[in-house]
Amino acid sequence: MSFSKEEFKIEFTNRLEKQIGKNIADATIHDVYVTLGQFIREYVSRDWIETTTNYKDNHEKQVYYFSMEFLMGRLMQTNIINSGLAEIIKEGLTEMDFQLEDVYNEEHDAGLGNGGLGRLAACFLDSLASLDFPGHGCGIRYKYGLFEQKIINGYQAELPDYWLQEDYVWEVRRADQTIGVRFGGYVEMREENQKLSFNHKNFDTVLAVPYDVPVVGYLNSTVNTLRLWSAESCREDFNLLTSNRVDYDNFLEYKRSIEDISGFLYPDDSTIEGKILRLKQQYFLVSAGMQSIFKQFKLEYGNNLSLLSEKIAIHINDTHPVLIIPELMRILIDDENLSWEEAWNITQKTVSFTNHTTLSEALEKWPVSMVKQLLPRIYMIIEEINERYCRELWSSYPYQWDKISSLAIVGNDEIRMAHLAVVASYSVNGVAKIHTDILKKKEMKDFYVLYPEKFNNKTNGITHRRWLLNANPRLTSTINEAIGTRWINNPKELTSLIKYSNDAAFQEKIATVKKENKERLANYIYETNGIKVNLDSIFDVQVKRLHAYKRQLLNVFHIIHLYQVLTDNPNVNITPRTFIFGGKAAPGYHYAKKIIKLINSVATVVNNDPTIQDKLKVVFLENYSVSLAEKIMPAADISEQISTASKEASGTGNMKFMMNGALTLGTLDGANIEICDFVGKENIFIFGLTADEVLQLSTENSYRARDIYNNDYRVKNVLDELMKDRLPGGESEFKDIYYSILSNNDEYFVLKDFDAYAEAHELVDQTYRDRKKWLSMSVTNIAHSGKFSSDRTIQEYATDIWKIRPRLS
Ligand SMILES: *Cc1c(COP(=O)(O)O)cnc(C)c1O
């Protein structure tokens, strides 16, 4: 199905009249957005049906990617570009006096995720569809996404993100496929014909209504599905009212409590709170998702359950959806009458698992009492899995009680979700080489000894379609002019750019693109923050969630240091810098919020001090999100990836920057290590402690932050600045930070890495003055970024873990 520009204009005008009831002359940009969105969604629906039917007809194995988070961002541009309509629509709209870019900006981000983990899930969906793989997302349709961040007087304030206020044009409600999810009640056990049966009684049923979002592949007619579940109360609940068992007020409250299950996304990406609502959300997702997959499976394969693991792969993104394991066991045993052994055999061959962190505060554990009460049957199954598994442990480690209890799934009245995930899945992967190594050698060492065959690495990736084609059209054209377009379907072919790394003409083109992108960001900064930034300054960017281990603090300390140097001697010759920050702090994470305040206080002082002659500017951009990231990445010169080595599992922001020609200033942590291996040491700025050194300092307990404070006058001056009143707020504002470093001994080695960091910054400064060298490094980074496309990552998951193949069309 294709159409001309003229046909598009006619169709578009008709729709606008019918849907919105307006003439094109009266249409607002928002009207245009809604009309265009509906048009595109309908346009892809034929391919959507065709793809779904095609998978079924060919009995393709399908993978379901379960994630509590999908940080999708906007979809208009992706869908237009992926379905090949960009030119016609752009020209058509222009002739009707609308700019496509303005239409893109009308879309509210789907912010159903916190950060890296949720964005990874979104990139994976794009790669699955673009590579023709039968792979779908399974998530929750939160009524409120991640909060909107406002900066008020330098402090973070949180506003609710009611992204559904305007109808979401991409979703289709499928009420006919509603599923019931059971909570509470009790289990009656009965023995019939020497077989135990389990009867779940007196439960509450919550309705799970699916909303499907099409996931459009790049120019390949494949359209997969992201299925998001919404919680609704049951029609039968009205009986409560008509039978006069509850009054109207209580009924409304009951209804609200049910809808709350898909009410909001928990806004913390690294510490778990044992909140019952969160547990409900997790079970709601996996029970609805698994039951729905199971229904589909039975329609296609009848009762041939032994085919399940051949035809279905279930992947869990971190431990959040791990209850899918007992849920699948429950369906197989209670509903399908399989024996425990048969059910376990199938489950173990179906579920695979990705670990995302080694931070201990992020390891999920649920109190036994909570799970028992909310999910009585699921708890029984977990207990049985644990018992059988502990018996196995006993045969490997007889009489080693301590070892067995430390490895058990249930212990200390808690369920250890990571243990359940490792024991019951057939594949456990980390997200970068170093992360997987740390899992094997340290964090999950005992499990690696038990199940070495399960462990594998899948280094994260990002979709180059969003992060290069969509976000940076100028760079995309420049690349296309040099090496053609084959790299788009095979991003590793970006390496052909290497031959241009020292080509003066190509370098200048890259420089022009960067300058234009910097100008665009500079305008945005002026509009939002009222700060005028110098386009010839180095745009030095750290955007990511605020967290102590990510060390935004190291960055601010260094800025304070530079400022002190300049106020002492305004004539010091440094390359002008614009330090750009962005990122949200979890609302309850006071320390991270203080760091935001510190950045903003430093910004106020630095930006308003005429004596330093605009050599430094500091900008905090509020509400870091996918759409903001798309504006920032193309304009960055320096990518700050400065986590304490061993703490960042992979990082994906680092890859987005690299692909857009920024140079990394980073520690040997996460995927920075692989970036360094690819571009070579001479094309990256690496500094600081290695992971081994960090782990050694931690175990030896030999680090003394105060010694550095006492011996390095720069460090002393910076810390002392926190306790003076040159920074607005002064001592009372920042003493928590001061004491976390000096009294609590600087858990993340900020002071220990300060000297190396400052030295690396000097090298950045020197290198930037050598324009040819800088541009050569930049081109080299772009050229090697293809390795970090999520197409490569997904290809690896498909072959090594899921055993799926591209569909035959
Ligand atoms: C990529 C991305 C992240 C992850 O960034 P890291 O630097 O890897 O922590 C977080 N939030 C958004 C909006 C992103 O696009």
Side-chain angles (χ1 to χ4, degrees), residues 71 114-116 119 467 543-545 550 624-626 629 641 648 651-654 656:
L71 189 45
N114 271 290
R119 184 54 230 173
W467 296 107
V543 285
K544 48 181 72 249
R545 286 299 288 255
K550 290 179 183 277
Y624 182 56
S625 57
V626 174
Q641 306 299 335
E648 186 76 270
T652 48
N654 46 5
K656 300 167 196 165

Side-chain angles (χ1 to χ4, degrees), residues 71 109 113-120 123 146 269 460 462 466-467 542-545 549-550 583 623-630 633 639-641 648 650-657:
L71 189 45
D109 276 36
N114 271 290
L117 175 148
R119 184 54 230 173
L120 185 75
C123 283
L146 183 62
D269 67 339
N460 281 169
I462 55 164
R466 177 174 298 258
W467 296 107
Q542 187 171 21
V543 285
K544 48 181 72 249
R545 286 299 288 255
Y549 84 80
K550 290 179 183 277
N623 203 38
Y624 182 56
S625 57
V626 174
S627 53
L628 182 53
E630 288 170 39
M633 301 297 165
S639 156
E640 298 262 359
Q641 306 299 335
E648 186 76 270
S650 161
T652 48
N654 46 5
M655 303 166 184
K656 300 167 196 165
F657 281 106

Side-chain angles (χ1 to χ4, degrees), residues 146-301:
L146 183 62
F147 66 87
E148 185 187 333
Q149 179 192 56
K150 286 266 175 226
I151 301 297
I152 298 174
N153 197 15
Y155 298 100
Q156 166 175 301
E158 301 94 21
L159 298 180
D161 168 49
Y162 190 31
W163 67 296
L164 294 168
Q165 187 144 37
E166 308 279 349
D167 285 345
Y168 187 55
V169 295
W170 307 114
E171 68 184 6
V172 183
R173 178 181 162 97
R174 304 225 188 267
D176 59 315
Q177 299 193 44
T178 296
I179 300 274
V181 176
R182 299 169 172 193
F183 291 100
Y186 60 93
V187 177
E188 230 176 49
M189 265 195 289
R190 233 181 301 152
E191 202 179 316
E192 277 165 31
N193 313 323
Q194 288 163 325
K195 199 172 180 291
L196 276 179
S197 74
F198 302 88
N199 224 331
H200 192 180
K201 295 216 151 149
N202 204 229
F203 48 80
D204 287 322
T205 300
V206 172
L207 296 185
V209 183
Y211 286 73
D212 288 352
V213 178
V215 181
V216 182
Y218 182 71
L219 303 182
N220 64 353
S221 305
T222 292
V223 180
N224 290 334
T225 301
L226 166 61
R227 173 159 281 192
L228 299 174
W229 296 94
S230 179
E232 295 184 11
S233 66
C234 210
R235 195 171 287 274
E236 283 118 61
D237 294 339
F238 290 111
N239 296 341
L240 294 175
L241 269 181
T242 47
S243 64
N244 279 331
R245 274 185 292 154
V246 296
D247 61 28
Y248 192 64
D249 276 357
N250 287 328
F251 175 73
L252 288 184
E253 201 168 294
Y254 171 76
K255 190 168 141 64
R256 172 118 33 91
S257 75
I258 283 182
E259 286 162 5
D260 277 350
I261 294 175
S262 55
F264 72 97
L265 167 75
Y266 275 86
D268 198 326
D269 67 339
S270 51
T271 40
I272 65 126
E273 297 173 278
K275 291 273 163 63
I276 190 141
L277 181 55
R278 171 78 175 179
L279 183 63
K280 283 186 191 169
Q281 291 186 335
Q282 295 186 346
Y283 184 67
F284 174 76
L285 166 63
V286 300
S287 180
M290 194 65 241
Q291 289 187 61
S292 140
I293 292 164
F294 208 85
K295 253 191 184 164
Q296 245 354 94
F297 175 86
K298 298 234 339 189
L299 284 177
E300 212 176 315
Y301 302 101

